[in-house]
Amino acid sequence: MLKHEDNERVTRVSKGTPMGDLFRRYWQPAILSGELPEKDGPPVRVRLLGENLLAFRDTDGEVGLVDALCPHRRAAMFFGRNEECGIRCAYHGWKFDRHGNCTDMPSEPVGTPLQAKVKIKAYPTVEKGGVVWTYMGPKEQQPAPPDYEWLRAPAKNRFVSKTWEDCNWLQAMEGGLDTAHSSFVHNEFIGNSNSLRNQDRSPSIEVERTDYGYYYVSTRRLLDGSNFVRLYHYVMPNQQMRSGTVKFLKGAGDEDPHAVPKIDGHLWVPVDDEHTFVYNWTCAVGDEGFPEGYVDRWESFMGRGKEDLIPGTYQLKRNLSNDYMIDRELQRTKTYSGIKGLNTQDYALQEGMGPIVDRSEEFLGTSDRAIVAMRRMLIEATKTVENGGRAPAAEPEAYRTIRPVDRILPGDVAWKDAFKSEMVARW
Ligand code: FES
Ligand SMILES: [Fe+2]
């Protein structure tokens, strides 16, 4: 459990809150590159850490991320013209470049000194791995650009999507870090002992702190005496990396969505206190990249394929307003949740808690070890920043060489030995 004040500390993300200020020490995804496909194309509204912003791709192909409202009389920049390396407010024509400088003020006399004085709030951006990243914190604390292994993967090996979630970022991320739940809510094979997650439903969990956060290892003892071991990374403040090389179902064929060896992960990016964009990245680890059509199959299996989204949005059609289209007959007979789509199942549980869960009311068990460790680290980190210190793991050297691992190991092989060379980035 968390005391009310600590719960507030780690969930609220606006500027000036402890967690909001911690988040503002890390590069965060602002938008997918694909949302701004062309130079001088239509701008896109962005809400991030409780701030309303506008993203546009300028004539040079660089992405600007500026205040959603014009500094003149606060008109919406969304209606502006994206032209000649700047966005021009449609109201009186003031124009701003991606750095926030006012480059034209046609409604004022020529040579007006006002032009040099007026700026629009602008955040730096960098584009990597199909994502536009931004840094919203103090200039002197700005880390080097993000450099996770998946950002260095060849484009043919990588896919990134994003999904909207109607709840606070932390309960969403806790769902990701919680490995025990996959034996339950994600159990699609009730009563089938070929399912590895059915063979042991209370994995043992070890947590090792590192420079970037921690890695944690879940071990499930299988019926034949071997161990199903998954090593995940928690990268501060809001990313998890996992490995997917072991099929859910022993003996399953290539139609199993887990048949393609991959690493994947999520970043839980706060839109504001009560909404989250989950960035989902997946990388095929083999040289050949993804097989034809695989990415669509995988995204559908996860419940976030194109057909699963409300057109023109990143919101799921199966959502709280329709109880995720739960099928009680399916739940009674075949699957634990009765809900289609692996991540949709997650959202039902996470959003069902309400916008910000009250952690003072919970009872934690041994399966929650990784979650407890993460909360502690976040509380510590917010205090470090409050006291004028540097945010942990903001610089890439903390995390650039890590890779998650999962394997089935013989019962007498220690994962530490088996994984030593596997835990290292190849790209
Ligand atoms: S409100 Fe934008 S130029 Fe006047
Ligand atoms: Fe899950």
Side-chain angles (χ1 to χ4, degrees):
M1 64 165 265
L2 280 185
K3 287 184 296 205
H4 176 73
E5 67 208 61
D6 283 338
N7 203 36
E8 291 288 299
R9 169 175 282 275
V10 288
T11 52
R12 305 279 171 189
V13 296
S14 298
K15 200 171 178 171
T17 62
M19 193 64 222
D21 288 350
L22 180 64
F23 259 116
R24 283 169 175 76
R25 299 295 176 88
Y26 301 88
W27 288 91
Q28 289 292 318
I31 192 171
L32 294 170
S33 291
E35 294 180 74
L36 292 172
E38 46 176 348
K39 296 173 182 175
D40 295 334
V44 174
R45 294 185 180 98
V46 174
R47 185 163 161 79
L48 183 56
L49 301 178
E51 295 185 36
N52 290 326
L53 304 168
L54 189 77
F56 63 100
R57 192 180 293 282
D58 73 9
T59 316
D60 294 335
E62 302 290 330
V63 176
L65 186 64
V66 298
D67 194 338
L69 301 184
C70 177
H72 176 214
R73 295 235 315 280
R74 310 300 280 158
M77 294 299 291
F78 176 77
F79 300 108
R81 301 169 65 94
N82 183 11
E83 55 180 31
E84 292 162 37
C85 279
I87 182 113
R88 190 185 286 280
C89 178
Y91 211 178
H92 313 95
W94 294 16
K95 181 178 167 184
F96 302 91
D97 68 14
R98 67 174 188 273
H99 307 293
N101 302 311
C102 184
T103 55
D104 196 16
M105 202 173 255
S107 62
E108 293 294 310
V110 176
T112 172
L114 191 59
Q115 190 181 326
K117 270 191 232 147
V118 174
K119 305 253 184 254
I120 192 167
K121 177 169 79 179
Y123 293 121
T125 65
V126 60
E127 234 172 328
K128 290 186 114 184
V131 174
V132 178
W133 303 78
T134 189
Y135 173 79
M136 297 166 67
K139 190 81 205 139
E140 68 285 0
Q141 299 268 351
Q142 184 175 322
D147 195 18
Y148 308 105
E149 185 195 17
W150 63 272
L151 297 177
R152 303 191 299 271
K156 72 172 177 12
N157 289 61
R158 181 183 52 232
F159 184 76
V160 189
S161 65
K162 75 179 195 182
T163 357
W164 176 269
E165 197 167 347
D166 269 317
C167 66
N168 181 258
W169 77 281
L170 188 61
Q171 70 208 51
M173 183 172 79
E174 288 177 347
L177 298 183
D178 171 10
T179 185
H181 81 276
S182 69
S183 292
F184 305 96
V185 65
H186 301 318
N187 186 345
E188 308 285 88
F189 312 104
I190 288 179
N192 184 341
S193 62
N194 278 334
S195 160
L196 303 187
R197 285 160 178 76
N198 280 347
Q199 292 188 21
D200 181 354
R201 302 194 301 173
S202 58
S204 73
I205 294 174
E206 300 158 72
V207 181
E208 293 264 352
R209 275 183 86 138
T210 61
D211 288 351
Y212 52 85
Y214 58 72
Y215 65 81
Y216 65 109
V217 180
S218 86
T219 303
R220 284 185 162 84
R221 191 100 180 129
L222 301 182
L223 297 174
D224 62 5
S226 59
N227 288 318
F228 174 28
V229 188
R230 300 192 84 185
L231 183 146
Y232 310 76
H233 297 286
Y234 163 57
V235 188
M236 292 191 81
N238 61 334
Q239 182 168 193
Q240 185 202 22
M241 300 178 176
R242 47 232 13 239
S243 170
T245 65
V246 176
K247 296 175 186 178
F248 269 29
L249 207 57
K250 220 172 165 184
D254 286 349
E255 75 289 351
D256 183 331
H258 293 84
V260 172
K262 66 183 118 14
I263 51 176
D264 66 307
H266 303 283
L267 280 118
W268 288 271
V269 181
V271 171
D272 52 32
D273 290 350
E274 300 190 352
H275 305 93
T276 303
F277 260 129
V278 190
Y279 283 73
N280 318 293
W281 60 266
T282 309
C283 290
V285 291
D287 291 341
E288 57 293 341
F290 291 110
E292 181 78 22
Y294 177 77
V295 166
D296 288 343
R297 277 212 322 278
W298 173 250
E299 292 290 292
S300 297
F301 169 74
M302 297 305 278
R304 53 182 196 234
K306 286 180 206 93
E307 70 289 354
D308 297 312
L309 301 180
I310 297 171
T313 75
Y314 294 94
Q315 285 169 280
L316 302 186
K317 287 179 186 163
R318 294 183 177 82
N319 57 48
L320 191 56
S321 75
N322 54 31
D323 294 327
Y324 306 87
M325 303 185 192
I326 187 169
D327 178 341
R328 295 291 186 187
E329 181 59 15
L330 185 70
Q331 185 179 37
R332 202 176 63 76
T333 54
K334 291 204 180 77
T335 77
Y336 216 87
S337 68
I339 293 169
K340 270 181 71 182
L342 197 124
N343 281 165
T344 318
Q345 297 161 357
D346 289 319
Y347 289 14
L349 280 302
Q350 296 158 11
E351 295 174 338
M353 294 171 176
I356 305 182
V357 68
D358 177 1
R359 292 174 177 77
S360 69
E361 298 277 347
E362 52 179 29
F363 289 90
L364 300 178
T366 53
S367 71
D368 303 307
R369 239 175 229 150
I371 289 169
V372 172
M374 172 275 294
R375 291 179 185 173
R376 259 191 215 130
M377 295 180 86
L378 285 181
I379 291 171
E380 269 170 39
T382 55
K383 290 183 176 164
T384 302
V385 167
E386 267 174 347
N387 294 330
R390 289 191 86 87
E395 292 294 344
E397 60 257 32
Y399 57 71
R400 67 183 307 283
T401 60
I402 60 172
R403 178 180 269 205
V405 196
D406 70 328
R407 295 281 183 277
I408 294 178
L409 297 177
D412 56 351
V413 171
W415 63 262
K416 270 201 172 148
D417 300 330
F419 287 179
K420 207 175 283 165
S421 61
E422 307 273 326
M423 292 170 63
V424 182
R426 312 278 163 75
W427 285 307

